[in-house]
Amino acid sequence: MDREDRGAANWFAIGVLTLQWVLMLLPSHPWSQADFPINDDWAHQASVAALVQEGRFVIPDWTATNFLGLLIWGAPWGWLLQPSHEVLRCSGLLAGLLGVWACYGLMLEIGLGARLAMLVAACWAAHPLYLSLSASFMTDVPFITASVVAVWAMLRYQRLASVGWLVTALVAASWAMLIRQTGFSLFVAFAVAGALQPGRRQRYVAVSVLVLGLLLLLGYPWLLERLHLLPAMRHAASEQVRESLALPAGQVVLSVLNWIMRLGLYLGLGAALPLILLAARVNWSALTRRKLLVWTVVSLLVLVAGYALGSSSWRMPLLGKDLIETGLGQRMLHGKSATTPLLWRGWLVVTVLTVLASFWVLALIVPALWRLFQQKAWRRPAGYVPVALAIWLMLQVAPVLLLTSVYDRYVLPLQVPVLALLAWAWSSQALTLTATTGPVLRYAGTAIVLGASLWAAALMHDYFAWNRVRWQWLSDLPAQLGVAPDQIQGGFDYLAPLRYHGGVVQPHPDGWFREPTPYALSIGGPLKQEVLDTRPVDTWLPFSPNRLYLNRSAQ
């Protein structure tokens, strides 16, 4: 494909990915009639509002992240329009779309063809957690976007030796690190992979990159402390790590193994659709019957193992927060209806397929990395890609494994390195590929992406449907009931702005903002209290909560 054809293919891919993103968002229209917080962004929005409306620079006490990069991203939106949740949510949606484009560019740079790279990026766009977190003003998606741009630009610098791409990579990596401290993994990955490359220039750039990363890592919190801007929750994650390391060695090992298995299954689930797309490009008829038989038998055994896990306590979802038994939605409200047979069996199917996908991710990546090690290929230019990707992934995984509580959204920053390593490993395998994608493969890939997009759009629609009903109801209830707003348990992000005060870092024994209240809203089923009223919710999926309940305590 010549340069003109590649340019046309790239613009076509960008257009398709943009259209997909917009169409997935249209049913939920999160930018209108949605001026309410999602998860932690009640604190983030307040920081932007303080800067735009009062000229005060505030790092919210609720955050444990560097946060500055998110404030830099959100402030122009607040100045140009207004610092409302709807406006800042649009900034998150744009960051999410930029991340999808960057994922496409990264897949191209690793070696996938334009059409396959577009399909993989489309699968990433349809990841339900990625789509839903884009519709918030949280650190997750902007951090991921900045990280993917940094890696993509650095790989282009390695190939083209262009200073412009090097500067782009460092700016994006710095932005990622000013959002979250784990952005330091980018600088280490670039430095180590570069130091292993031949040539004095590579080593000079590697040292410079590492120095820049260390300056940001150490200098930024030092500056915050001198300016008395260090947030109260700054050391919350490090405290969890210290608590974990204080346990007996055996418990630490078991805890780490537990998180490795759980994270591994989530990462395998996120790679399932790209795996199908990659497998469709293999000319299976060119493989020997013996190999086909062996891999078929192994896959069947893995499916049986997945069924055994799913039938026990290891049924997905294994991590709480955004993806739970009732579909997409935080555990913000008390009460949960009995899981329907359809949903319970559905999660069993998901668990089985997740185990199979996780196995194939390992089956592709581990042998490829082992060959790299055996052949000492990291010392050659081609070794830069896997070394940088592997270090990027490992350094982001490491701190998560020592936390006392891990939520499913923590998996998202790990997913792109896994997809990138998978693309690299697949392209390095000695597999006979089909000469052309052909109409059947094109239609199959399109059907996969279309199905994933519809699923993600439906989840998003239902998520915002019950949030709209909840917040509209909560706006009227205090006056109707004649009580103060904080006397209603309306969910985490409803009570948090009312009850959280800077410096308070310990939750109630029942959880954050779970203090007893006379009234409570519940979702998915009434509490064991007196039900005063209900409100219907217009949801699409059969297992989505379709009614909210107002409950009054018997006390």
Side-chain angles (χ1 to χ4, degrees):
M1 183 181 292
D2 59 32
R3 182 172 299 179
E4 183 177 349
D5 290 337
R6 286 198 301 269
N10 289 341
W11 282 113
F12 174 78
I14 293 298
V16 170
L17 293 172
T18 303
L19 180 62
Q20 175 205 13
W21 189 254
V22 172
L23 291 178
M24 285 193 299
L25 294 173
L26 282 178
S28 55
H29 53 95
W31 48 77
S32 65
Q33 298 180 329
D35 195 16
F36 46 74
I38 296 291
N39 209 320
D40 291 335
D41 65 1
W42 58 271
H44 303 164
Q45 181 270 342
S47 181
V48 176
L51 180 61
V52 172
Q53 296 174 347
E54 305 171 25
R56 293 188 300 114
F57 180 72
V58 178
I59 303 294
D61 278 320
W62 183 249
T63 189
T65 66
N66 283 339
F67 184 74
L68 179 61
L70 184 66
L71 182 60
I72 293 173
W73 176 254
W77 292 76
W79 277 316
L80 291 173
L81 300 171
Q82 57 179 328
S84 66
H85 288 292
E86 288 180 336
V87 169
L88 294 178
R89 184 172 294 122
C90 289
S91 77
L93 294 172
L94 178 59
L97 178 58
L98 293 176
V100 173
W101 292 350
C103 180
Y104 168 73
L106 179 60
M107 294 300 148
L108 279 182
E109 200 61 36
I110 289 172
L112 299 187
R115 183 176 287 110
L116 188 55
M118 179 183 67
L119 290 175
V120 171
C123 289
W124 172 239
H127 193 300
L129 289 181
Y130 184 78
L131 181 65
S132 66
L133 286 168
S134 295
S136 70
F137 190 58
M138 299 275 284
T139 59
D140 304 86
V141 171
F143 172 75
I144 293 168
T145 295
S147 300
V148 178
V149 170
V151 174
W152 170 59
M154 183 58 78
L155 295 188
R156 287 188 67 83
Y157 163 72
Q158 291 296 322
R159 182 169 62 87
L160 303 174
S162 167
V163 176
W165 285 112
L166 176 61
V167 172
T168 302
L170 296 181
V171 169
S174 300
W175 180 36
M177 194 167 172
L178 289 175
I179 298 176
R180 286 185 176 180
Q181 296 88 313
T182 49
F184 184 61
S185 61
L186 294 165
F187 292 91
V188 177
F190 297 159
V192 174
L196 294 174
Q197 295 296 299
R200 182 178 299 177
R201 181 182 180 183
Q202 285 280 16
R203 288 188 288 273
Y204 172 76
V205 170
V207 172
S208 302
V209 166
L210 186 59
V211 169
L212 175 59
L214 287 171
L215 286 175
L216 288 172
L217 180 68
L218 303 175
Y220 177 71
W222 176 86
L223 181 61
L224 287 184
E225 193 168 9
R226 294 300 179 276
L227 296 175
H228 305 289
L229 293 172
L230 205 64
M233 296 283 280
R234 171 73 183 188
H235 302 296
S238 57
E239 287 294 333
Q240 288 190 43
V241 172
R242 277 194 287 269
E243 289 177 17
S244 297
L245 294 177
L247 298 173
Q251 292 187 32
V252 174
V253 172
L254 290 176
S255 176
V256 168
L257 291 176
N258 172 64
W259 291 132
I260 287 176
M261 288 189 66
R262 289 172 184 261
L263 292 176
L265 289 177
Y266 273 82
L267 293 172
L269 177 60
L273 295 183
L275 269 174
I276 296 174
L277 296 174
L278 293 175
R281 290 283 288 115
V282 176
N283 185 0
W284 296 101
S285 62
L287 299 179
T288 64
R289 290 185 179 180
R290 182 177 178 180
K291 283 186 176 181
L292 284 174
L293 179 62
V294 168
W295 286 118
T296 301
V297 171
V298 171
S299 297
L300 289 175
L301 292 175
V302 172
L303 284 173
V304 172
Y307 180 80
L309 284 176
S311 299
S312 65
S313 59
W314 276 79
R315 184 175 299 207
M316 298 286 284
L318 299 171
L319 300 174
K321 199 65 172 180
D322 290 279
L323 192 63
I324 57 173
E325 289 86 346
T326 51
L328 186 69
Q330 302 135 293
R331 288 182 178 173
M332 297 184 293
L333 305 179
H334 292 294
K336 183 176 62 179
S337 62
T339 305
T340 64
L342 171 64
L343 187 57
W344 180 246
R345 292 166 186 158
W347 278 120
L348 175 59
V349 173
V350 170
T351 304
V352 172
L353 297 179
T354 295
V355 172
L356 181 63
S358 301
F359 166 76
W360 275 106
V361 168
L362 290 174
L364 283 171
I365 292 178
V366 172
L369 289 175
W370 179 247
R371 285 196 303 273
L372 179 81
F373 178 78
Q374 284 184 317
Q375 299 169 4
K376 298 182 178 180
W378 64 79
R379 297 179 179 176
R380 299 195 292 271
Y384 185 95
V385 172
V387 170
L389 294 177
I391 294 175
W392 179 30
L393 174 62
M394 289 188 295
L395 290 181
Q396 288 200 99
V397 169
V400 177
L401 300 179
L402 292 172
L403 296 177
T404 55
S405 59
V406 177
Y407 299 120
D408 51 15
R409 65 188 181 89
Y410 294 2
V411 180
L412 275 183
L414 314 177
Q415 191 71 67
V416 175
V418 169
L419 291 178
L421 273 172
L422 183 63
W424 166 79
W426 177 84
S427 62
S428 67
Q429 299 293 317
L431 296 174
T432 303
L433 306 180
T434 55
T436 177
T437 55
V440 175
L441 295 180
R442 285 199 298 270
Y443 296 151
T446 302
I448 289 171
V449 171
L450 181 60
S453 301
L454 290 172
W455 176 253
L459 287 170
M460 184 85 152
H461 168 272
D462 291 0
Y463 182 54
F464 271 87
W466 67 259
N467 262 302
R468 283 191 175 90
V469 173
R470 176 169 69 105
W471 284 98
Q472 289 170 3
W473 204 1
L474 286 169
S475 66
D476 301 328
L477 274 179
Q480 291 177 4
L481 299 173
V483 299
D486 67 350
Q487 296 303 297
I488 305 170
Q489 176 52 267
F492 165 81
D493 46 12
Y494 172 72
L495 282 182
L498 301 174
R499 293 192 172 182
Y500 182 75
H501 303 287
V504 180
V505 296
Q506 293 298 325
H508 185 270
D510 295 333
W512 282 108
F513 317 115
R514 290 295 183 141
E515 297 88 345
T517 59
Y519 300 93
L521 289 185
S522 64
I523 188 170
L527 301 173
K528 295 180 180 179
Q529 298 177 354
E530 179 186 3
V531 178
L532 298 180
D533 198 2
T534 67
R535 290 285 176 91
V537 181
D538 180 22
T539 54
W540 288 358
L541 296 172
F543 54 78
S544 291
N546 57 15
R547 188 164 291 275
L548 291 182
Y549 300 81
L550 173 62
N551 307 270
R552 180 167 59 190
S553 175
Q555 297 179 350

